[in-house]
Amino acid sequence: MSRRVFLSRHIVFWIFFTILGIWGQFFLPGTDFFTPGLVVLVQFGFLNAAFWLGCLWMLLLEGTGNLAFGTIILYYAGLAMAYSLAGVFFEARNVLFMALLFLFLAVFKKALVLVMAGMQDLGQSVFMDAQSVLVQFTVHLILWMLTYHFFNKYIMHELVRRKKPVA
Amino acid sequence: MGWVIKPGVRVHSMAQEFWESYVYLVDVHQENRELRRELDSLKLELAARSEKAAFAERLEELLEFTSPPGWSSSGLRVVAHNYGPLGVLESVIVDKGRLQGVSSNMPVVAPEGVLGRTYKTGLNFSTVLLLSDPNSRIPVVSSQSRTPGIVVGQGQNNSLAVQYVHLNAPLQEGEYLVTSGTAGIYPKGLPVARVSRVERSEIRLFQLVEAEKLVSARDREEVMVLENITKLRTDYLDFDGIIRDFSGEDRLMGEPGVSGF
């Protein structure tokens, strides 16, 4: 498979992921669907793509949210820090590692929104509830498993399988 | 011979009958398939037409709404509710923004009453803060006893609270609460809620009043935004209190026909 085909598949995959994420957020208000995509990109070493897609998703989330600009930047900074720190102690593709990371992120996101809303005098609408944290954790974990599986199967493995043998 | 031929004839006629009925059944089967396909397409068409009829009914309902004097209305379509991980407010996203003339703090209404106000506006979409959000506060007055109060949201599934109602105010259950027009955002007289509970207690400074909202955001697909037309003229008001209209004539505030605010 040529690099151009690989790139176009890559792009189609992430466009599809973004559309599904937008619809997911429509059906589950208050839940983030994009973080597992970022994690998968980082796990496979596509740091440039992670950066640009992260910027795109950040604009999307900040634009549709009710809080002042900056919350998602802090959230993604927290994600990067947690991933790097935890990566020192765990194998980065381990399911247990991912479960712990997403549990931390679910609590961190809620706490961050709580603090940011409080700073903007909107604190009365937000409260820390276990249900939304649990929903976010479950969505992240399941979505990461699916994204990792499909990305690995249709984007990464295709590259190897279709490689012409050297004569 | 008869004994030999008769079974043969019988077998032949049975075979013929079977063949004909089989061929016939094949035809019936094909016809059945075609009819089913036709039925499916008719079902789809019926669903589309029913949806169109319901949409037309809702639009008709919206068209019956007459804007308050000095205000103009335009239709909006609800796109999403509390969208995204940062959608912390009780809000809906509507399909018009700054490019279509929507700015923040514009009243959003339905024919039954007030839904909320525009909170944040993008180029083509806006966020509407609903009545039920705890950050929403609307000054109201009761329709019969003219008791003033402030309607405050308490969350999606809870009733609205009416604050600062004096202990001796003659507010009754079932009374409608309408906008008082004092805050400058909503025009006077728009229905907001209906009083569902009034409790007077000597240990409180104010009555404990609850009200049910008249419009549920979950059920609305189309709403209207109101624009204050007269407010635009304040742009032409200079420090002398003189309004410069488009004809070039200067008129003092308070003169007949001058509606600055």
Side-chain angles (χ1 to χ4, degrees):
Chain A
M1 184 165 56
S2 70
R3 181 160 175 77
R4 184 178 282 183
V5 175
F6 173 71
L7 201 65
S8 56
R9 277 182 175 223
H10 215 301
I11 290 168
V12 169
F13 183 89
W14 291 112
I15 287 174
F16 190 65
F17 179 87
T18 307
I19 292 169
L20 279 183
I22 289 170
W23 276 103
Q25 287 177 174
F26 176 83
F27 288 113
L28 272 178
T31 314
D32 166 50
F33 276 69
F34 295 131
T35 304
L38 275 185
V39 172
V40 168
L41 279 169
V42 172
Q43 283 177 324
F44 281 98
F46 295 103
L47 296 181
N48 271 337
F51 176 77
W52 289 113
L53 273 172
C55 287
L56 175 78
W57 293 335
M58 181 188 71
L59 290 175
L60 201 78
L61 297 176
E62 293 279 9
T64 53
N66 306 130
L67 299 176
F69 192 83
T71 313
I72 293 294
I73 297 176
L74 291 174
Y75 174 66
Y76 282 167
L79 163 67
M81 230 156 76
Y83 188 87
S84 323
L85 279 176
V88 175
F89 305 105
F90 294 94
E91 161 62 39
R93 294 180 193 196
N94 187 316
V95 178
L96 180 68
F97 166 71
M98 294 318 300
L100 286 173
L101 180 74
F102 286 132
L103 186 63
F104 164 75
L105 285 176
V107 177
F108 176 62
K109 192 201 86 182
K110 195 73 192 176
L112 194 63
V113 167
L114 204 68
V115 170
M116 295 300 276
M119 285 167 76
Q120 292 165 48
D121 285 337
L122 299 173
Q124 294 173 68
S125 305
V126 194
F127 47 91
M128 183 64 94
D129 59 324
Q131 192 188 341
S132 66
V133 170
L134 199 67
V135 167
Q136 182 65 85
F137 166 71
T138 314
V139 165
H140 271 170
L141 193 64
I142 291 173
L143 203 59
W144 171 77
M145 283 175 175
L146 291 172
T147 313
Y148 189 94
H149 172 75
F150 287 120
F151 189 77
N152 196 25
K153 187 175 177 185
Y154 294 111
I155 309 292
M156 299 308 294
H157 277 186
E158 282 289 304
L159 185 68
V160 178
R161 200 190 306 155
R162 290 196 178 181
K163 211 170 179 181
K164 285 178 184 172
V166 181
Chain B
M1 189 188 75
W3 288 355
V4 175
I5 291 177
K6 211 174 177 180
V9 170
R10 200 165 196 172
V11 168
H12 175 255
S13 67
M14 277 172 73
Q16 197 174 10
E17 197 181 334
F18 172 75
W19 179 253
E20 276 175 2
S21 62
Y22 174 73
V23 170
Y24 176 72
L25 273 178
V26 166
D27 285 348
V28 166
H29 182 65
Q30 276 178 350
E31 196 181 347
N32 195 19
R33 279 175 65 182
E34 276 168 19
L35 284 171
R36 272 179 194 278
R37 205 175 297 140
E38 203 174 327
L39 183 69
D40 285 347
S41 70
L42 283 172
K43 270 184 186 170
L44 281 175
E45 198 181 324
L46 182 69
R49 281 181 191 274
S50 305
E51 183 59 31
K52 267 189 182 174
F55 180 56
E57 266 178 32
R58 293 198 303 267
L59 286 183
E60 205 174 294
E61 201 183 323
L62 283 179
L63 283 170
E64 279 172 13
F65 178 84
T66 47
S67 310
W71 294 74
S72 71
S73 62
S74 60
L76 304 170
R77 194 182 282 266
V78 176
V79 178
H81 297 259
N82 301 6
Y83 189 83
L86 301 185
V88 294
L89 303 174
E90 288 292 334
S91 58
V92 291
I93 294 177
V94 290
D95 68 342
K96 280 186 182 170
R98 283 201 293 273
L99 289 179
Q100 290 79 29
V102 176
S103 56
S104 55
N105 288 331
M106 286 170 80
V108 177
V109 299
E112 297 87 11
V114 173
L115 187 79
R117 63 178 166 90
T118 52
Y119 168 69
K120 193 176 161 188
T121 51
L123 289 179
N124 290 300
F125 294 90
S126 305
T127 306
V128 176
L129 181 72
L130 300 175
L131 285 182
S132 51
D133 189 87
N135 296 289
S136 164
R137 278 159 177 74
I138 302 178
V140 291
V141 63
S142 66
S143 57
Q144 288 165 15
S145 60
R146 311 308 288 174
T147 305
I150 307 277
V151 166
V152 182
Q154 300 192 109
Q156 176 64 37
N157 300 319
N158 302 321
S159 55
L160 304 166
V162 188
Q163 294 181 344
Y164 310 117
V165 177
H166 285 290
L167 277 177
N168 55 358
L171 189 66
Q172 298 295 322
E173 281 181 22
E175 264 193 82
Y176 280 92
L177 299 170
V178 297
T179 49
S180 66
T182 51
I185 293 177
Y186 296 93
K188 192 176 179 178
L190 288 178
V192 176
R194 191 174 50 233
V195 177
S196 58
R197 184 175 160 225
V198 179
E199 198 180 304
R200 292 176 176 84
S201 167
E202 288 181 0
I203 57 165
R204 290 174 192 272
L205 286 174
F206 300 100
Q207 290 182 36
L208 186 71
V209 183
E210 282 186 0
E212 296 299 327
K213 53 182 184 273
L214 301 174
V215 187
S216 169
R218 298 270 164 208
D219 305 333
R220 300 301 310 187
E221 289 178 46
E222 294 90 18
V223 291
M224 280 180 297
V225 64
L226 299 181
E227 188 184 359
N228 191 345
I229 310 164
T230 55
K231 208 174 183 178
L232 294 172
R233 293 198 179 180
T234 57
D235 297 344
Y236 300 97
L237 185 70
D238 65 13
F239 67 94
D240 289 321
I242 294 169
I243 292 173
R244 294 207 170 85
D245 60 16
F246 293 107
S247 64
E249 288 179 15
D250 291 350
R251 291 183 292 173
L252 280 170
M253 278 293 298
E255 278 183 1
V258 178
S259 52
F261 296 97

